[in-house]
Amino acid sequence: MRILVTGGLGFIGSHTVVELQNEGFEVIIIDNLSNSSEEVLKGIVAITGTMPIFEKLDLRDKKSVQDFFAKYQDVKGVIHFAASKAVGESVENPLLYYENNINALVYLLQELEKKEDASFIFSSSCTVYGQAETMPITENASIQTAMSPYGNTKQIGEEIITDVAKVSSINAILLRYFNPVGSHPSAEIGELPIGVPQNLVPFITQTGFGLRDVLSVYGDDYPTADGTAVRDYIHVVDLAKAHVIALQRLVNKKNETKVETFNLGTGKGSSVLEVIHAFEKVSGKKLPYKIVPRREGDITEAYANTDKANKILGWKAKSTLEESIASAWKWEQKIRG
């Protein structure tokens, strides 16, 4: 069965391609390489022994999307990762985020709508909850006003998919993930941010390796145990496996409604300082860091209630924070030679 993975050379996308191929799916990757590298294909092949089909194209170009689906008419499902994803950047450049994250989604759905049957997995985010009123966050938590244009694109994206599914043959699962970290245990693929990392863990590992002088901790005056922001850090391989399970659910017509929603996290919150200490423990290195003012768009805490995914999907995150950080550190050391 042919599955399209958009953004399939990115961090989560590449790990999901590996898990799909391990389960026998034939994968086609679309990526415009704006935040990834074609070198990632070598890592995927090294792990799975299979080269996925790769099409370099920009999903913002409607004609290119139409041409792709004309060429590959037997695509049965789409896992849609391709999107800009940095909260801070979205605040500074909102139009980039609205164009990239909304237009591409619309063009994909317009093509899938033409099919008699299509499965769509959407890479959503816990940012749709904003600063949730209670912890841990369930799927029934109210959708707060978005704290950033990035968060807003995920909210709008979910609404678009829900509206389209009502009037088409598309069945969809919205996966709201918390904070993906780590790398494949083989260290053949991992997180490879271009430029200055926007996420905590790659900034930590780059600082640990000496590429960055000091790690900035954005705020120590949050109403948390140690004053730093709390997030739910999930190993990327655990996350990737959930996508395969969700896809199989749709393909096998096990979904109970046209659009289903699941949180993907560990169910445990960790503060920025706890992540730093976890790195210091697994690496044996002291990490230089400094406290700086909070970033606009950041929330105090977010961690998942994963009961729904555990029960209905039969999925559960397995890796601990230390295991996730250790794999990220192994990857950092490998790519720096």
Side-chain angles (χ1 to χ4, degrees):
M1 181 177 289
R2 269 193 171 168
I3 303 299
L4 167 63
V5 179
T6 72
L9 296 182
F11 177 40
I12 308 168
S14 60
H15 286 81
T16 302
V17 169
V18 164
E19 298 303 324
L20 285 167
Q21 291 191 163
N22 285 343
E23 288 294 317
F25 289 98
E26 184 180 357
V27 178
I28 308 173
I29 294 171
I30 285 179
D31 204 301
N32 68 356
L33 304 179
S34 63
N35 196 31
S36 59
S37 165
E38 209 168 330
E39 289 289 304
V40 175
L41 286 168
K42 295 178 183 176
I44 292 170
V45 173
I47 298 166
T48 66
T50 304
M51 172 66 82
I53 299 168
F54 172 55
E55 294 280 351
K56 184 188 175 187
L57 66 88
D58 195 321
L59 292 169
R60 292 173 293 187
D61 181 357
K62 186 173 183 175
K63 179 70 165 58
S64 293
V65 178
Q66 291 172 332
D67 290 346
F68 172 87
F69 280 94
K71 181 177 178 182
Y72 298 102
Q73 295 183 16
D74 56 349
V75 168
K76 296 293 186 189
V78 175
I79 303 182
H80 181 44
F81 293 106
S84 303
K85 62 179 179 61
V87 168
E89 183 186 47
S90 78
V91 173
E92 294 166 10
N93 194 351
L95 285 177
L96 169 72
Y97 276 66
Y98 288 115
E99 180 190 33
N100 202 24
N101 295 6
I102 303 300
N103 289 15
L105 173 64
V106 169
Y107 300 155
L108 282 170
L109 291 174
Q110 283 174 335
E111 295 308 305
L112 289 182
E113 198 175 30
K114 300 171 185 175
K115 293 181 175 290
E116 291 181 9
D117 182 32
S119 302
F120 192 80
I121 308 289
F122 183 56
S123 166
S124 192
S125 166
C126 64
T127 55
V128 301
Y129 298 115
Q131 179 55 70
E133 292 161 5
T134 56
M135 293 293 145
I137 302 168
T138 71
E139 289 84 354
N140 296 326
S142 59
I143 302 296
Q144 305 281 349
T145 301
M147 302 281 283
S148 67
Y150 165 70
N152 200 26
T153 65
K154 291 302 182 184
Q155 290 181 1
I156 294 167
E158 289 194 359
E159 291 168 3
I160 291 169
I161 294 163
T162 302
D163 288 341
V164 173
K166 288 175 185 172
V167 296
S168 73
S169 60
I170 297 170
N171 288 279
I173 291 181
L174 314 175
L175 297 178
R176 293 174 178 164
Y177 8 110
F178 283 66
N179 293 67
V181 294
S183 75
H184 196 270
S186 66
E188 292 289 351
I189 56 173
E191 190 165 7
L192 197 61
I194 292 174
V196 179
Q198 298 287 334
N199 297 330
L200 175 63
V201 171
F203 210 113
I204 284 176
T205 57
Q206 287 189 12
T207 305
F209 201 83
L211 291 180
R212 310 280 165 198
D213 293 332
V214 64
L215 172 75
S216 294
V217 175
Y218 293 100
D220 64 350
D221 57 348
Y222 285 101
T224 60
D226 62 21
T228 61
V230 169
R231 299 290 183 270
D232 186 339
Y233 295 93
I234 175 174
H235 195 293
V236 66
V237 174
D238 285 334
L239 187 63
K241 289 178 186 295
H243 288 75
V244 180
I245 294 168
L247 179 67
Q248 288 168 330
R249 179 174 173 82
L250 292 181
V251 167
N252 296 323
K253 306 288 190 284
K254 296 287 180 64
N255 50 309
E256 295 168 13
T257 54
K258 290 281 286 177
V259 179
E260 295 180 321
T261 305
F262 296 96
N263 284 340
L264 298 181
T266 65
K268 181 180 185 298
S270 301
S271 72
V272 175
L273 289 181
E274 285 175 327
V275 178
I276 290 171
H277 297 325
F279 171 79
E280 290 178 333
K281 183 176 177 182
V282 301
S283 70
K285 288 177 169 286
K286 196 75 182 158
L287 197 77
Y289 69 88
K290 63 179 179 181
I291 308 297
V292 298
R294 296 185 190 188
R295 280 186 304 198
E296 187 178 354
D298 278 349
I299 58 174
T300 300
E301 62 178 347
Y303 56 96
N305 179 314
T306 61
D307 290 350
K308 186 179 177 185
N310 299 161
K311 182 180 176 184
I312 296 176
L313 295 180
W315 167 91
K316 190 174 178 63
K318 294 177 180 175
S319 295
T320 65
L321 177 65
E322 286 183 9
E323 287 167 344
S324 298
I325 300 297
S327 69
W329 179 232
K330 181 181 176 183
W331 163 249
E332 187 74 51
Q333 291 173 296
K334 184 195 174 185
I335 58 176
R336 305 302 166 196

